Amino acid sequence: MKIKSLFGAATAVLLGSIGVASADVTLTIESWRNDDLSIWQEKIIPAFEAENPGIKVVFAPTAPAQYNSALNAKLEAGTAGDLITCRPFDGSLSLYKAGHLGEVGDLDNMKNFGAVAKSGWSTDDGSAIFCVPMASVIHGFIYNKDAFKEVGVSVPTTVDGFFSTLEKIKQDGSYVPLSMGVADQWEAATMGYANIGVNYWKGEEGRQAVIAGDMKLTHPDWVAPYAQLAKWGPYMGDGYEAQSYPDSQNMFTLGRAAIYPAGSWEISGFNAQADFEMGAFRVPVQAAGDECYISDHVDIALGMNKATKNPEAARTFLNWVGSAEFADLYANSLPGFFSLSDHNVNMTDPLAQDFVSWRGECNSSIRPYHQILSRGTPNLANEYWVTSANVIRGSMTPEEAAAHMQKGLASWYAPQQ
Amino acid sequence: MTSHRRPIRWHIGIFLAPAVLVYSAFMIFPLFGTLQLSLFTTSEQQTSFVGFDNFRVLFGDPRWSGAFWNALVNNVWFFVIHMLVQNPLGILIAAVLSNPKLRLRGFYRSAIFLPTIMSFVIVGFAWKLILSPLWGIAPDMLKAVGLKFLFAPYLGKEEYALTTLALISVWQYVGIPMMLIYAALLSIPQEVIEAGEVEGVTGFSAFWKIKLPLILPAIGIISILTFVGNFNAFDLVYAAQGALAGPNYATDILGTFLYRTFFGFQMQLGDPNMGAAVAMIMFLIILTGVCIYLFGIQMRMTRYQL
């Protein structure tokens, strides 16, 4: 990683000098996605440069763990790149408030993004937008098609169907029904609670109501996902209490489990590891025909350094990030990271297609504890990790967990007091 | 009174200077820096002096104090396991190893000491794998001897996880008390033992009545080292269970609590001021423990000139 970022920096210097020599404008992109360096250099940047002669772009990533602090230091010192890759919510909001990020809401192509896509990079009241959304991750379930065929079950669409499918797989005995553990705790909240919960609290409607203080976390809509999680335990593998995240991934890709509660970021890894056919199904609804919701979580965006010397070129690039061409390039280079724009992106990966098809059928919502609600102490996101894992293990009842969450939130969040 | 004035003994100061300078720069100065940090608070990028308010929150706010007391109680249990298992076991192994009739002594000594020099990351990871319900060898080994029912996902159960981690730590560090006691046992002159034999004190009672009193100072030192080490512990829990010290904070000790407070975790931002307050309390706990030992026990301990 260090070598890569060094390499990136070296290229930046090199290309920068070429840029000056030919009087072109050079834009430097700050990013934590050093895994994507080659995709940017070989696919995305050449496509942009071909269309926009006179603008050179350099992708200069930093190691993910150092990104936030390195970026802050560079912004303070005035040495940061022209374009800044934005973390969702408070990470970027604080940069905007400190005057480091310019507004981008007036770009032409911002019209291609919906409200949820913009929410990750807007001020709390939504009046200013400071990054162009790039990609999100979608939650659902990945399943082993061979296993489903062998046991003779079909893809469930309702919660009852989901549990009867799990029961049949368990009765059959050749597969572990659900490949998830609670040792690392975060899967319980991310792929458990937030994944299945959107159908209960009706996505954005419930999430916004909690932020506004109109709904409490003890409301039945927020207790019901816990109640469903409480029934997951018996269908998880032996000793799931000590099963870690990589354990679950391996268990599924080795073909020992039938269903994997997933985030779409698993797609490329699973494609490489598993030698059986995989499919994906979305979160089952309570009753057949109910309106459906999915957890479609905003993850990454691109903004403009307010101190850039080339604001016009930077805005040109950002506008291009909102275009159909970029959406297509990005989504197909990184299956599992879906474009947040409304463009119809043609994806070649069948599993990624499964995931993204739900957007047409259901309403998207982000994880409930990311915007605003995780600003205080106790931290709502961390608390959801712990309580969701507790509920699955049975050391907390759904009601106790919800009461605990509400008490924690109310202790610092004024609208809930 | 003599009129003769002693010359100023410069050499004392010069000889002390390097140690004093290094110790001040790396220990005393940061200690006061931490204390200073704990008296401030930061909000909206503004730092302001709040006196002992961070400590009031730490002990007064039910959430903070709940987490703190949980970590402290867990830490005490962690220490108790070490005192009850690691140190007696170390003494026992040392006593066995000091028996000149035992063959392959050097091999046992090295084998038992070896884990001590291993990285906690390796130890944490290896034990996690051994105890893994999916791929671990522990369930299979227990099955082979018909004791499968004894197996549980120990690291994932609230009631076992902390004890399991403490025992892993004991496994790793039992070599230290063993080596110290072993050295102390070897330094007991043969004449003393022989004199005991003449008086009819042999075998087990020779250990109890002659050797044990003679190695008590070493046991004292080991106890205090264990105390300081345990209340500063962090690495094994972090490597095996992560910073959230799951399940449900059952393995949260002061070190992991400090880490989460100071550096933050995931979406929780770090709070260096509150973290410094936790660090000060840890320092005071360790200081108190060491003082109790120093003034309450060590100064009253009978020493024998050998």
Side-chain angles (χ1 to χ4, degrees):
Chain A
M1 288 213 275
K2 202 163 192 182
I3 292 172
K4 268 191 189 168
S5 59
L6 263 181
F7 176 68
T11 351
V13 172
L14 195 68
L15 292 183
S17 59
I18 295 169
V20 170
S22 60
D24 279 351
V25 172
T26 300
L27 297 174
T28 306
I29 302 176
E30 301 279 351
S31 176
W32 69 88
R33 293 289 310 173
N34 50 11
D35 289 346
D36 305 346
L37 182 68
S38 59
I39 290 162
W40 279 88
Q41 285 178 340
E42 287 157 22
K43 292 186 179 165
I44 298 173
I45 293 174
F48 174 78
E49 288 177 346
E51 286 171 31
N52 297 278
I55 304 178
K56 298 270 170 226
V57 183
V58 176
F59 187 70
T62 318
Q66 296 150 21
Y67 180 70
N68 295 8
S69 51
L71 178 66
N72 274 322
K74 283 195 230 173
L75 285 169
E76 294 295 337
T79 58
D82 309 277
L83 296 164
I84 313 285
T85 307
C86 305
R87 302 260 191 204
F89 302 108
D90 290 4
S92 295
L93 185 60
S94 61
L95 291 182
Y96 173 74
K97 281 189 175 155
H100 292 309
L101 290 175
E103 281 193 41
V104 296
D106 54 338
L107 289 171
D108 285 347
N109 277 340
M110 283 308 283
K111 66 176 188 301
N112 299 328
F113 296 96
V116 174
K118 291 178 198 162
S119 68
W121 300 281
S122 311
T123 46
D124 292 352
D125 57 6
S127 62
I129 302 165
F130 39 85
C131 297
V132 182
M134 280 162 74
S136 73
V137 291
I138 298 177
H139 296 136
F141 297 88
I142 298 179
Y143 69 100
N144 182 334
K145 279 191 175 168
D146 298 351
F148 269 46
K149 220 174 282 166
E150 215 180 298
V151 182
V153 288
S154 55
V155 169
T157 51
T158 61
V159 174
D160 291 340
F162 180 63
F163 280 102
S164 75
T165 302
L166 289 175
E167 187 58 39
K168 275 182 204 150
I169 299 168
K170 193 180 180 185
Q171 294 300 330
D172 179 79
S174 15
Y175 295 93
V176 172
L178 262 183
S179 183
M180 195 173 97
V182 294
D184 295 334
Q185 307 190 79
W186 70 269
E187 307 108 290
T190 313
M191 278 94 105
Y193 191 81
N195 185 9
I196 61 172
V198 278
N199 269 332
Y200 292 95
W201 60 72
K202 300 187 176 53
E204 287 299 283
E205 200 183 312
R207 189 179 76 82
Q208 297 291 355
V210 171
I211 290 174
D214 300 334
M215 203 181 205
K216 289 193 184 319
L217 295 177
T218 45
H219 187 280
D221 288 355
W222 294 81
V223 181
Y226 278 131
Q228 195 193 132
L229 279 187
K231 294 195 279 178
W232 278 24
Y235 299 108
M236 287 157 50
D238 240 0
Y240 68 87
E241 292 97 330
Q243 183 176 329
S244 69
Y245 173 56
D247 286 346
S248 311
Q249 288 177 310
N250 286 325
M251 189 190 219
F252 182 74
T253 52
L254 286 172
R256 284 167 57 171
I259 301 173
Y260 181 89
S264 59
W265 63 86
E266 309 278 14
I267 291 175
S268 27
F270 279 14
N271 279 340
Q273 297 284 327
D275 55 2
F276 49 85
E277 212 188 326
M278 286 175 292
F281 63 89
R282 64 176 153 79
V283 184
V285 292
Q286 284 130 282
D290 275 5
E291 194 167 12
C292 64
Y293 298 82
I294 53 166
S295 173
D296 183 354
H297 191 70
V298 295
D299 191 52
I300 186 169
L302 199 66
M304 183 177 75
N305 183 354
K306 221 176 187 174
T308 176
K309 292 192 181 66
N310 308 305
E312 277 317 305
R315 289 175 64 85
T316 309
F317 189 85
L318 287 175
N319 200 36
W320 183 72
V321 168
S323 71
E325 188 188 5
F326 179 86
D328 187 64
L329 272 175
Y330 198 80
N332 277 308
S333 313
L334 295 160
F337 288 88
F338 303 109
S339 169
L340 279 161
S341 65
D342 302 331
H343 300 298
N344 219 344
V345 178
N346 226 341
M347 271 180 296
T348 47
D349 186 277
L351 208 49
Q353 277 171 357
D354 275 359
F355 271 95
V356 86
S357 68
W358 308 333
R359 275 188 180 164
E361 307 155 11
C362 309
N363 306 297
S364 293
S365 175
I366 57 172
R367 291 178 205 149
Y369 39 76
H370 273 242
Q371 191 184 23
I372 303 173
L373 300 179
S374 275
R375 270 178 206 165
T377 308
N379 185 276
L380 200 74
N382 291 357
E383 293 276 284
Y384 264 120
W385 291 19
V386 176
T387 52
S388 302
N390 285 353
V391 166
I392 294 178
R393 275 202 325 271
S395 68
M396 242 182 190
T397 66
E399 290 74 23
E400 278 167 10
H404 178 87
M405 298 306 298
Q406 177 60 27
K407 207 174 133 204
L409 182 62
S411 72
W412 63 269
Y413 188 56
Q416 285 287 351
Q417 279 160 354
Chain B
M1 289 285 276
T2 55
S3 57
H4 175 68
R5 270 185 66 197
R6 281 167 121 183
I8 300 171
R9 293 188 285 180
W10 292 107
H11 64 278
I12 293 180
I14 290 168
F15 284 141
L16 280 178
V20 169
L21 284 178
V22 170
Y23 190 77
S24 304
F26 292 104
M27 303 297 281
I28 308 286
F29 180 68
L31 189 64
F32 281 97
T34 309
L35 181 61
Q36 190 200 14
L37 198 59
S38 70
L39 301 179
F40 287 81
T41 192
T42 312
S43 72
E44 304 280 324
Q45 284 147 356
Q46 292 285 313
T47 304
S48 52
F49 181 78
V50 288
F52 287 96
D53 198 54
N54 288 332
F55 294 92
R56 188 191 57 74
V57 172
L58 182 61
F59 291 106
D61 183 291
R63 286 186 165 267
W64 279 104
S65 64
F68 172 78
W69 291 115
N70 172 52
L72 184 63
V73 168
N74 285 344
N75 218 145
V76 169
W77 178 244
F78 196 69
F79 172 62
V80 166
I81 297 269
H82 280 80
M83 286 301 283
L84 289 183
V85 182
Q86 175 188 281
N87 297 347
L89 206 59
I91 296 168
L92 185 74
I93 297 171
V96 172
L97 284 181
S98 66
N99 182 347
K101 284 176 205 146
L102 185 75
R103 272 193 273 174
L104 290 175
R105 277 193 298 167
F107 169 75
Y108 292 134
R109 208 172 50 206
S110 312
I112 293 167
F113 193 74
L114 204 62
T116 309
I117 58 172
M118 287 202 306
S119 159
F120 58 87
V121 181
I122 297 171
V123 171
F125 190 67
W127 273 99
K128 237 179 125 168
L129 267 183
I130 292 171
L131 295 173
S132 163
L134 275 89
W135 345 95
I137 55 163
D140 293 338
M141 280 171 76
L142 283 172
K143 205 175 182 175
V145 290
L147 293 172
K148 181 75 201 293
F149 64 92
L150 281 181
F151 183 78
Y154 296 114
L155 288 172
K157 292 275 192 189
E158 280 175 49
E159 56 271 44
Y160 305 133
L162 182 64
T163 311
T164 310
L165 281 178
L167 291 176
I168 293 172
S169 170
V170 166
W171 172 85
Q172 184 178 9
Y173 289 116
V174 73
I176 302 236
M178 177 199 81
M179 276 300 188
L180 289 171
I181 301 288
Y182 182 66
L185 282 174
L186 287 189
S187 69
I188 299 173
Q190 203 54 34
E191 293 83 13
V192 180
I193 312 284
E194 279 165 11
E197 276 171 13
V198 171
E199 301 287 336
V201 185
T202 55
F204 199 61
S205 68
F207 178 78
W208 274 113
K209 291 181 176 157
I210 302 172
K211 291 180 183 172
L212 198 60
L214 291 174
I215 57 170
L216 263 185
I219 293 174
I221 289 292
I222 288 163
S223 306
I224 205 66
L225 283 178
T226 311
F227 176 76
V228 175
N230 283 171
F231 277 83
N232 271 328
F234 159 76
D235 38 22
L236 182 68
V237 177
Y238 183 74
Q241 306 289 76
L244 269 187
N248 199 15
Y249 301 111
T251 56
D252 199 19
I253 57 176
L254 290 170
T256 44
F257 177 58
L258 165 69
Y259 177 86
R260 280 200 316 278
T261 312
F262 198 103
F263 295 103
F265 180 64
Q266 290 289 326
M267 296 196 59
Q268 178 192 332
L269 299 176
D271 183 347
N273 301 109
M274 202 67 197
V278 177
M280 278 318 291
I281 298 296
M282 282 174 73
F283 170 72
L284 288 179
I285 290 171
I286 293 172
L287 188 70
T288 314
V290 173
C291 285
I292 291 173
Y293 168 77
L294 218 58
F295 299 112
I297 300 173
Q298 199 185 27
M299 289 179 118
R300 296 184 195 168
M301 205 180 266
T302 325
R303 280 164 199 286
Y304 302 94
Q305 191 76 45
L306 292 173

